[in-house]
Amino acid sequence: MSESQRAAGRVASVMQEERVFPPPAEFSRRARIGSLADYRRLYDEAAADPGAFWDARARELPWITPYGRVLDWRPPHARWFADGRINASAVCLDHHVAAGRGGKTALVWVGEPTGERCVMTYAELLAEVCRLAAGLRSLGVGPGQVVSIYMPMTPELVIAMLACARIGAVHSVIFGGFSSEAIADRNHDAAAVAVITADGGWRRGAQLPLKANVDRALASPHHPPTTVKHVIVLERTGQAVEMVPGRDVWWRDLVSGQPTDLPPAAMDSEDPLFILYTSGSTGKPKGIKHTTAGYVLWAKTTAEWVFDLRDDDLFWCTADCGWITGHSYVTYGPLAAGASILIYEGAPNAPHEGRFWEIVEQERPTIFYTAPTAIRSFMKWGLQHVEGRDLSSLRLLGSVGEGINPEAWMWYHEKIGGGRCPIVDTWWQTETGGIMMSPLPGCTPTKPGSCTLPLPGVVPQIVDAAGDAVEQGEGGWLVITKPWPGMLRGVWGDEARFVDTYWSKVPGKYLAGDNARQDADGYYWIMGRIDDVLNVAGHRLSTIEIESALVSHPAVAEAAAVGRPHDVKGEAVAVFVTLRSGNPDDALKDALRKHVRQQIGALAVPDDIRFTASLPKTRSGKIMRRLLRDIAAGRETVGDTTTLEDYTVLANLRSNDE
Ligand code: WTA
């Protein structure tokens, strides 16, 4: 069976899934929300009076100045807890230290090189955050200014995020796999004043040139002169770097002599906390803006509900802080909830393919949250890496980033969870700030492949192109009909794009960009994107972004990128390229791959490149992506091709099949 046939079978089997797994009785007895009746009651309470519901939860946060109204909703603009003053780092740190929990473990960190490990208590983390915050302030970084963070997964990455929050600076974390051009784009769009980075980071035994990438970004000839005035450099690998006098400063020099008790800045609830760039359906990533109080409350509350966090938990979310999952469930959610987090710096297969299970055995996390693409890699690497490992500390498993196919779900359940751990399949997005739909592990019966039911406060609907609700069981666009505290507040510097992308196709409702369907039990099944956004190994990529990167190469005249099914990554990038010059050979394919890596990063590099004399287009000149998707997947082309401008193009593409 071909890869594409297997993938098609996967989709079909998801739709027919009938296995139901009730939560284990022992789990339910101890859980915060231990019965479906409790869930329904909470859900109904939030729906009937959202103001009172969120007021009750927000009151538990350490306010510097109390808020006035809970919600001011002028679609599409929400203000939550308006006029209140609060600081996100104080919610995550000072609050617990003040309550006498300063000695509790905040984080356990494991480095990629075997044997490297460190533990920090809440009091120690607070002290380090204060020192860096004071250092940033001494450089003149202040409230509302944007600081880019481009770092490996070290405790200092979490410290950098919280230090920005402490002085009211807005952080923009850039995933360490992005290229210098991608850094330059983001710095420029956000007018960042500083970059926090490291000399390098470890990845599968190699040293990533993080500082060198930042240097290149700041000198990018494709961008206006940089707005960045300061570069703070953590010494991580010890590799040689160039330090530019007056601009670059070592982290250790910046924090030395700084106070360990800097008071948190009193930020307005609606002051921006961070921006995080994500791919949309254009060539330019958009800076999703999240604000302070609502975001932190949402991250904390959802972490407590979905992961059923309790005092003795050690929570391992394997996401990098370069993605929203790392923001909400490495940093803000669990720390606001006072939990202990586990962070691992490196790749799951470094130095061997059983590294994660070795870490579970050694560190004994109780909750493990990862992506389906990782689970499929573990399956491929083989059971020998899992068997014989003591995974008995685990009590709950989670999945995020894409739908989890039932085969991977069952493997996760049996081989990692030992059949005893509930699995929470969490649906959400960069834009939603935190989990929106997920089983609650103590009460929701799960069906492999479904993210089940909305959390309290989340009111989804499935609609057709006219915005009308579809019949039960029908597929359609997923929208969220009511505001929630963690919702995005805008696209950085681009109000029109915010309104147009999320609020105009179905007026007044948040358009998630996913297709979904509800089954007879009211369970939600996510069925892929409605736009040209790909999900490659759990990472969002825009086809147009990849196309723009390709056409910026001198040999390329035109390019079309599509996704094709892939056994491990879920989707892989396939591109069709017409040439302006050069020979359609393997050397050019290599050059184009390298070019995409430079323009965006390794995650966007196409798996397949096909040269073609022309691309199939409609009479109005639109590239017919559906046809290209079928060809890329090796499927017989189905559906209407009557608008195809030039039938011979299709035949030529087929005969070029590799
Ligand atoms: C997809 C990641 C199915 C979806 C937190 C969404 C999922 C996009 C799931 C957001 C899930 C995420 N089931 N699909 N449990 N979780 N997705 O912004 O298409 O990186 O729109 O946020 O990932 O990706 P993002």
Side-chain angles (χ1 to χ4, degrees):
M1 201 176 359
S2 77
E3 195 167 69
S4 59
Q5 282 167 323
R6 263 203 303 278
R10 216 151 66 197
V11 173
S13 71
V14 168
M15 305 300 293
Q16 289 153 17
E17 185 57 52
E18 273 168 7
R19 282 170 292 196
V20 179
F21 294 80
E26 203 228 342
F27 198 102
S28 303
R29 255 198 308 281
R30 291 181 57 200
R32 281 166 192 265
I33 303 171
S35 72
L36 274 177
D38 282 352
Y39 160 71
R40 293 269 172 228
R41 191 178 43 73
L42 267 184
Y43 192 88
D44 292 344
E45 233 180 76
D49 190 349
F53 185 84
W54 290 111
D55 186 32
R57 279 151 190 84
R59 272 168 198 280
E60 293 169 18
L61 299 180
W63 292 92
I64 300 168
T65 307
Y67 48 87
R69 282 180 63 185
V70 172
L71 172 63
D72 178 9
W73 176 226
R74 293 175 203 170
H77 299 286
R79 293 177 71 218
W80 284 90
F81 314 110
D83 304 324
R85 298 228 155 230
I86 194 163
N87 184 289
S89 80
V91 177
C92 293
L93 302 170
D94 307 57
H95 188 48
H96 308 306
V97 174
R101 294 193 294 273
K104 179 173 177 176
T105 298
L107 67 85
V108 177
W109 172 78
V110 176
E112 188 183 277
T114 315
E116 278 199 73
R117 176 179 191 273
C118 94
V119 177
M120 292 180 85
T121 64
Y122 270 92
E124 287 164 346
L125 188 58
L126 172 58
E128 290 310 315
V129 167
C130 286
R131 287 190 341 136
L132 182 66
L136 289 170
R137 196 178 267 180
S138 75
L139 295 175
V141 178
Q145 293 187 326
V146 176
V147 176
S148 296
I149 300 176
Y150 183 68
M151 294 183 74
M153 274 299 277
T154 52
E156 286 83 0
L157 173 45
V158 173
I159 292 169
M161 294 166 79
L162 293 171
C164 288
R166 195 151 191 95
I167 59 171
V170 182
H171 61 70
S172 164
V173 185
I174 303 170
F175 174 58
F178 279 117
S179 68
S180 51
E181 282 300 296
I183 304 170
D185 283 345
R186 286 156 177 76
N187 282 345
H188 171 64
D189 187 75
V193 298
V195 178
I196 308 178
T197 188
D199 48 359
W202 291 106
R203 196 74 190 166
R204 294 192 183 90
Q207 298 177 358
L208 298 175
L210 299 179
K211 172 63 164 66
N213 286 349
V214 170
D215 290 341
R216 258 197 302 280
L218 299 193
S220 164
H222 311 297
H223 293 82
T226 186
T227 50
V228 172
K229 297 195 175 54
H230 305 284
V231 179
I232 296 106
V233 188
L234 175 77
E235 187 176 359
R236 167 68 193 117
T237 55
Q239 69 205 73
V241 295
E242 266 177 52
M243 295 294 279
V244 176
R247 186 194 74 179
D248 300 354
V249 56
W250 288 106
W251 176 303
R252 60 162 188 275
D253 294 339
L254 183 66
V255 303
S256 113
Q258 298 290 357
T260 54
D261 58 352
L262 184 83
M267 304 310 293
D268 190 279
S269 294
E270 285 299 335
D271 277 336
L273 175 64
F274 67 85
I275 46 186
L276 182 59
Y277 283 84
T278 187
S279 293
S281 47
T282 74
K284 190 171 168 283
K286 49 194 177 212
I288 301 299
K289 177 171 96 174
H290 283 288
T291 57
T292 305
Y295 169 79
V296 172
L297 179 64
W298 190 246
K300 170 181 184 278
T301 309
T302 54
E304 289 169 346
W305 282 337
V306 174
F307 301 110
D308 189 43
L309 283 176
R310 58 184 68 248
D311 205 42
D312 54 0
D313 274 319
L314 178 61
F315 180 34
W316 187 10
C317 165
T318 68
D320 190 286
C321 285
W323 310 108
I324 190 68
T325 306
H327 282 63
S328 303
Y329 301 108
V330 174
T331 304
Y332 289 106
L335 294 180
S340 303
I341 58 174
L342 174 62
I343 300 175
Y344 168 56
E345 178 186 31
N349 54 354
H352 56 80
E353 290 167 345
R355 187 70 197 272
F356 270 21
W357 320 122
E358 181 179 76
I359 293 172
V360 170
E361 189 170 87
Q362 286 168 358
E363 304 296 344
R364 306 200 55 77
T366 51
I367 306 169
F368 180 76
Y369 187 34
T370 197
T373 183
I375 299 166
R376 292 191 296 264
S377 298
F378 303 141
M379 291 169 74
K380 195 174 104 191
W381 293 337
L383 263 186
Q384 70 276 19
H385 299 292
V386 180
E387 278 164 353
R389 290 288 179 191
D390 177 5
L391 307 182
S392 63
S393 63
L394 297 172
R395 66 182 195 95
L396 173 60
L397 303 176
S399 168
V400 61
E402 58 176 304
I404 176 167
N405 49 300
E407 195 191 352
W409 197 101
M410 289 307 300
W411 190 91
Y412 198 29
H413 179 67
E414 286 166 8
K415 309 300 180 203
I416 305 303
R420 70 181 183 279
C421 305
I423 296 180
V424 288
D425 175 354
T426 62
W427 175 84
W428 59 294
Q429 309 177 294
T430 305
E431 292 86 343
T432 69
I435 297 167
M436 300 292 275
M437 296 205 251
S438 170
L440 296 177
C443 71
T444 316
T446 49
K447 301 182 193 183
S450 169
C451 59
T452 74
L453 300 169
L455 297 184
V458 176
V459 188
Q461 200 179 32
I462 299 173
V463 300
D464 59 23
D468 298 321
V470 301
E471 300 275 319
Q472 165 111 53
E474 297 279 305
W477 293 348
L478 177 61
V479 295
I480 308 294
T481 63
K482 295 276 168 22
W484 67 101
M487 66 196 291
L488 79 164
R489 300 299 201 274
V491 171
W492 195 257
D494 200 342
E495 171 70 11
R497 195 166 175 199
F498 171 61
V499 174
D500 184 53
T501 310
Y502 302 108
W503 302 97
S504 61
K505 288 187 194 67
V506 185
K509 295 175 181 173
Y510 169 77
L511 182 72
D514 281 331
N515 278 306
R517 115 182 205 283
Q518 239 184 325
D519 69 15
D521 295 322
Y523 277 31
Y524 286 83
W525 299 78
I526 306 295
M527 305 191 311
R529 299 284 303 185
I530 66 176
D531 51 17
D532 292 325
V533 170
L534 306 182
N535 191 328
V536 178
H539 300 149
R540 260 163 84 168
L541 279 175
S542 138
T543 52
I544 301 174
E545 218 176 321
I546 300 167
E547 291 161 7
S548 310
L550 284 165
V551 296
S552 72
H553 188 281
V556 174
E558 221 180 2
V562 295
R564 69 151 171 88
H566 187 281
D567 260 357
V568 173
K569 296 195 266 192
E571 256 181 315
V573 179
V575 299
F576 297 83
V577 173
T578 64
L579 293 181
R580 187 188 298 283
S581 60
N583 293 324
D585 54 18
D586 284 348
L588 186 54
K589 284 188 185 176
D590 287 347
L592 293 181
R593 288 200 169 92
K594 193 163 158 233
H595 186 70
V596 172
R597 183 187 297 264
Q598 272 164 3
Q599 293 294 310
I600 306 175
L603 70 174
V605 171
D607 276 39
D608 311 336
I609 298 180
R610 293 175 200 213
F611 296 115
T612 169
S614 53
L615 292 169
K617 290 188 186 160
T618 62
R619 288 199 183 96
S620 62
K622 266 187 85 172
I623 293 172
M624 300 185 77
R625 291 171 183 285
R626 182 174 47 78
L627 291 183
L628 294 178
R629 272 195 294 268
D630 286 344
I631 295 168
R635 279 193 294 267
E636 273 308 301
T637 313
V638 285
D640 182 20
T641 56
T642 50
T643 50
L644 188 62
E645 199 216 349
D646 179 358
Y647 288 93
T648 58
V649 169
L650 196 56
N652 288 341
L653 280 169
R654 282 258 173 58
S655 59
N656 281 349
D657 261 9
E658 288 171 311

